Amino acid sequence: MARTERAAFLAKVRDAVAAGARGDPTDGRPQESAGSSPAPRDLAETFTREAQAADCEVLRVASIREARDAIQALLDELGASRVVRGDTELLRALDLATDEAVVAAEADAGLTEADFGIAESGTLALLHRPGQARGISLLPLVHVAILRASDLVPDLGALFRKLESDDRHPASTLTFITGPSRTGDIEFVLTKGIHGPGEVHIVLLEDRESP
Amino acid sequence: MELSANRFAANAREALADGELQRALGGATQRLSLARHDAFADFPEGEALRTRAREIKRRTLDRLDGYLEELATSVEARGGTVHWASDAAEAREIVLGLARERGARVAVKSKSMTTEEIALNEALAAAGIEPVETDLGEYILQIAEESPSHIIAPAIHKTKDQISDLFAEKHGTARRERHEEITREARGVLRRRFLEADLGITGVNFAVAETGSIAIVENEGNARLSTSLPRCHIAVMGMEKVIPDLDSLAVFLRILARSATGQKMSSYVSLITGPRREGEEDGPAELHLVILDNGRSAILADPVLRESLYCIRCGACLNVCPVYKHAGGHAYGWVYPGPIGAVVTPSLVGHARAAPLPFASSLCGACREVCPVRIDLPHLLLAQREKVLALTRAKPGERALVSAFALAMRFPALYRMASRLARWLSIPFAREGQLRRAPLLSAWTRTRDLPAPARETFRQRWRRSRG
């Protein structure tokens, strides 16, 4: 079977575009501004409320030390002994006792640093790259994410504009996470953890100093 | 998927007689439409975003060839490979070819209507490659050997007890009673399939021309697994899924989940720009994007129907449609159900093979009200009716009626006379204010009531009450 070439495919599309064109291809309406809402007064407040509404647990901490204690207490409480974590400066600074040999597929919990948070929807954004593997926030049943309040943006439009000047962008994959893995496929009963984590814990770090 | 759109009436009758299905459909459509309503009630900028989304789609389709070219160039610049498929057979051949070259034996799939459209699973199975559907609803249907009934909730017609029995039989495990236990069992079974799979096959919600990124929207995480674990990711997209840039993507993502399930964002959105890069711990080594025409260029070439390509497959029009709510997805007899299905199916499979679908609507307009990109579905249904009628030719009686009506509309005196005459002629057929059986109108009155003409015409009443 002969394969359709790009040029032939596009030529057919071009003909269809012309054939179906309306009389008035130019539209007089002014271009509205980007898909963005006014910035909420307090991003951390909005983010926390929306993430909770999406079934995340949110812990607000004021320092790295507090973050470390909160995460350690959480992992102990969950009985998560096999923890896999990403490799970012902040995660290293937490200095948690994790076992390097644990792989994501066998871990009880995955610990990541979210690169951004979107206040409007309580969403975490992770730019995958070395040190920010896909599987950590995906394969274990529990996902713990630390997020700096300074990485919060009001909405998706604002995030994409911010990424324009970010040298990690475009990442091979940018994952947006809003709450746990969920399904309603059986009788519309919401059930968590069908494929990804059934629990998402967010540690929101509102410190003034950097590590 | 076998096409049975011409059996719409029989399919719908079957659905109406199925009490379990009626209960499930009623519950599902009501929940989803209420959730959508609440999400937009709480979102003041939603209406402006819908208008903006529509404009983006219109502008993109008005120079679709240019955007597709830009998309292909960007995808390739990021290390992906682009394949062009003019029809379903070619798309299947491309995927099968890739699978064979890699010696693939198992392909995990995340929910994709486009791969249903090209009947990919059947082709993979015939070539000895096992396709595994991994969306829970799709997985249930696959092992039950049934087809999806709703865009968003494919297995909504099955009860928990039926699924418990099905899992116990197919997995050879103890029968699970609770929802959590059933889903946990599916997680375990499917996780093993993800880990052994050679290929991950997905659809595409949006493809961003400027960056060469594809966006996949989901709640379960199976699309993330399909695009993270296997060595090779193959994404299949209808060519109308391309959008210009990330700013446009933000507009669509902010209305898609709200329209589909009432969520502000779905649990997961993956924005994939090429395969894994050097130093990354995971992700597929190869990314292939199959761009499918399969009848879409004919829709694009139609100035009226072009609008149906704006669809972002949220399912909102299904949930508010009085016909869909009772007939269910299977009645439409193919991949795309509901009002949007009734519009696109005849164009994609041929009007003669889906003739009843454009008529499976009361033209109430509820679909147009909720469509996130404001597709004028009733208008498009009428356009498709014209095309079907042009094929089948109206009966002589119907044609005479239409000609007489046209004549009466041109001459007011004739119209006055005819409306009085209609009342006198209808008296023998009227029962309790309804016409139940009337010559020439039987196609209508067989399945619907027609109010009998009132004692006094509107014009008479207007004269009386004003004078």
Side-chain angles (χ1 to χ4, degrees):
Chain A
M1 187 164 152
R3 287 285 164 80
T4 302
E5 295 295 327
R6 170 170 167 160
F9 188 101
L10 292 175
K12 193 173 170 194
V13 175
R14 195 169 305 121
D15 289 346
V17 164
R22 297 271 202 170
D24 54 341
T26 49
D27 179 349
R29 259 180 288 188
Q31 181 87 23
E32 284 166 67
S33 67
S36 188
S37 314
R41 269 199 302 277
D42 189 344
L43 289 177
E45 204 60 53
T46 309
F47 176 84
T48 302
R49 188 181 66 238
E50 295 300 334
Q52 286 167 341
D55 291 325
C56 297
E57 299 291 330
V58 183
L59 280 165
R60 295 172 71 165
V61 297
S63 68
I64 289 180
R65 171 184 291 274
E66 243 183 78
R68 172 176 41 230
D69 294 347
I71 293 170
Q72 195 58 62
L74 178 65
L75 295 175
D76 292 345
E77 186 193 318
L78 293 167
S81 54
R82 293 169 301 174
V83 179
V84 60
R85 71 157 172 83
D87 190 22
T88 68
E89 202 181 328
L90 177 57
L91 290 173
R92 281 193 297 271
L94 285 175
D95 198 26
L96 288 156
T98 51
D99 183 352
E100 297 294 322
V102 174
V103 293
E106 287 155 12
D108 303 316
L111 176 60
T112 67
E113 178 187 354
D115 295 305
F116 296 98
I118 301 171
E120 179 190 315
S121 48
T123 300
L124 302 171
L126 278 67
L127 296 156
H128 297 301
R129 59 185 186 278
Q132 182 71 292
R134 295 161 179 77
I136 301 172
S137 59
L138 176 61
L139 298 172
L141 258 172
V142 176
H143 176 203
V144 182
I146 185 164
L147 169 68
R148 291 177 184 280
S150 55
D151 288 326
L152 285 170
V153 294
D155 58 47
L156 209 48
L159 174 66
F160 286 136
R161 282 191 295 282
K162 190 163 184 167
L163 283 175
E164 281 167 19
S165 58
D166 191 316
D167 58 12
R168 298 168 297 183
H169 170 77
S172 59
T173 297
L174 165 53
T175 300
F176 295 102
I177 299 173
T178 311
S181 156
R182 62 178 73 215
T183 183
D185 278 352
I186 302 176
E187 294 179 338
F188 257 90
V189 174
L190 172 67
T191 315
K192 296 174 201 167
I194 168 64
H195 286 297
E199 291 180 33
V200 178
H201 299 264
I202 302 171
V203 178
L204 185 59
L205 175 59
E206 299 169 88
D207 73 340
R208 300 283 170 260
E209 62 212 276
S210 294
Chain B
M1 190 171 187
E2 209 173 311
L3 175 68
S4 71
N6 275 340
R7 293 187 62 244
F8 180 84
N11 293 346
R13 263 196 300 279
E14 249 171 63
L16 286 169
D18 183 341
E20 199 81 71
L21 175 66
Q22 289 298 313
R23 207 176 43 80
L25 265 174
T29 53
Q30 191 186 16
R31 286 175 86 123
L32 287 168
S33 60
L34 280 175
R36 182 230 163 251
H37 176 270
D38 292 348
F40 276 90
D42 200 25
F43 187 46
E45 58 270 60
E47 296 310 305
L49 282 173
R50 288 172 66 192
T51 304
R52 180 123 196 274
R54 180 183 170 81
E55 274 304 293
I56 293 168
K57 278 287 180 184
R58 192 182 63 76
R59 284 170 211 233
T60 311
L61 292 174
D62 279 352
R63 48 170 297 242
L64 185 62
D65 52 321
Y67 282 114
L68 286 173
E69 192 155 24
E70 185 184 351
L71 173 69
T73 305
S74 314
V75 168
E76 281 164 0
R78 294 285 169 191
T81 309
V82 177
H83 307 264
W84 306 90
S86 59
D87 58 21
E90 191 170 12
R92 288 192 298 265
E93 269 316 305
I94 290 166
V95 177
L96 285 182
L98 291 169
R100 283 198 201 99
E101 284 162 27
R102 283 150 193 79
R105 285 164 43 210
V106 176
V108 282
K109 289 187 66 214
S110 68
K111 193 156 82 83
S112 150
M113 304 181 77
T114 312
T115 61
E116 292 262 342
E117 178 188 326
I118 63 171
L120 184 60
N121 284 5
E122 293 83 342
L124 286 167
I129 300 149
E130 186 189 0
V132 181
E133 292 289 354
T134 58
D135 170 87
L136 178 61
E138 296 274 351
Y139 173 68
I140 291 166
L141 295 180
Q142 188 179 38
I143 61 175
E145 296 175 35
E146 291 177 27
S147 56
S149 62
H150 190 286
I151 292 182
I152 301 299
I156 202 60
H157 59 284
K158 296 194 86 70
T159 64
K160 175 176 69 81
D161 289 340
Q162 291 171 335
I163 296 164
S164 296
D165 291 338
L166 182 70
F167 277 15
E169 183 204 327
K170 301 283 178 179
H171 296 163
T173 51
R175 195 174 183 282
R176 319 274 180 203
E177 294 289 342
R178 294 170 47 237
H179 287 88
E180 291 75 18
E181 295 166 345
I182 299 172
T183 49
R184 201 48 55 90
E185 175 164 321
R187 177 184 170 106
V189 170
L190 287 168
R191 182 60 68 86
R192 287 192 289 278
R193 306 316 306 269
F194 281 116
L195 291 168
E196 70 174 325
D198 313 289
L199 298 177
I201 301 177
T202 71
V204 172
N205 288 93
F206 305 97
V208 183
E210 189 180 21
T211 56
S213 312
I214 59 175
I216 305 175
V217 180
E218 53 150 352
N219 275 319
E220 294 190 359
N222 58 316
R224 287 185 68 194
L225 288 164
S226 302
T227 60
S228 297
L229 296 179
R231 241 201 107 257
C232 176
H233 172 203
I234 304 175
V236 183
M237 66 176 265
M239 67 182 194
E240 78 283 13
K241 294 289 169 73
V242 65
I243 56 174
D245 47 30
L246 291 175
D247 197 41
S248 307
L249 180 66
V251 172
F252 287 107
L253 288 180
R254 292 177 77 206
I255 56 176
L256 173 58
R258 284 177 165 98
S259 300
T261 57
Q263 291 166 281
K264 287 179 178 156
M265 278 275 271
S266 298
S267 294
Y268 303 121
V269 176
S270 302
L271 186 66
I272 297 168
T273 311
R276 81 199 274 179
R277 296 182 199 151
E278 206 174 318
E280 285 192 60
E281 295 92 342
D282 55 11
E286 286 182 70
L287 171 68
H288 295 269
L289 180 62
V290 181
I291 303 179
L292 178 71
D293 183 332
N294 202 32
R296 287 165 176 76
S297 53
I299 301 177
L300 186 67
D302 184 312
V304 176
L305 292 175
R306 175 179 287 192
E307 194 178 332
S308 63
L309 297 177
Y310 297 2
C311 176
I312 58 173
R313 307 274 185 259
C314 69
C317 63
L318 280 59
N319 300 322
V320 297
C321 175
V323 175
Y324 176 86
K325 280 196 258 187
H326 294 281
H330 292 144
Y332 293 80
W334 201 50
V335 181
Y336 304 105
I340 188 65
V343 171
V344 300
T345 305
S347 288
L348 293 175
V349 304
H351 289 76
R353 300 172 71 205
L357 295 191
F359 298 90
S361 165
S362 63
L363 302 179
C364 72
C367 47
R368 179 176 50 202
E369 293 298 310
V370 298
C371 176
V373 288
R374 303 189 194 279
I375 298 174
D376 189 349
L377 284 152
H379 184 62
L380 301 188
L381 286 164
L382 284 173
Q384 291 290 39
R385 285 181 186 186
E386 271 175 41
K387 288 184 196 291
V388 171
L389 285 176
L391 276 183
T392 57
R393 295 191 61 89
K395 291 187 200 113
E398 283 173 23
R399 250 184 301 162
L401 265 183
V402 172
S403 314
F405 182 74
L407 194 68
M409 290 307 284
R410 283 217 299 277
F411 301 103
L414 201 58
Y415 181 84
R416 262 198 306 281
M417 206 172 73
S419 54
R420 278 183 223 155
L421 191 65
R423 161 148 168 80
W424 291 109
L425 285 177
S426 67
I427 286 174
F429 306 102
R431 299 277 181 282
E432 292 159 24
Q434 301 289 328
L435 297 181
R436 295 277 153 75
R437 274 179 303 125
L440 294 178
L441 301 173
S442 62
W444 179 276
T445 54
R446 205 166 42 232
T447 53
R448 282 165 279 213
D449 290 339
L450 181 65
R455 195 175 296 277
E456 189 178 33
T457 69
F458 176 76
R459 288 161 154 271
Q460 286 168 332
R461 185 170 177 181
W462 180 257
R463 244 192 337 267
R464 181 168 56 77
S465 60
R466 296 252 313 213

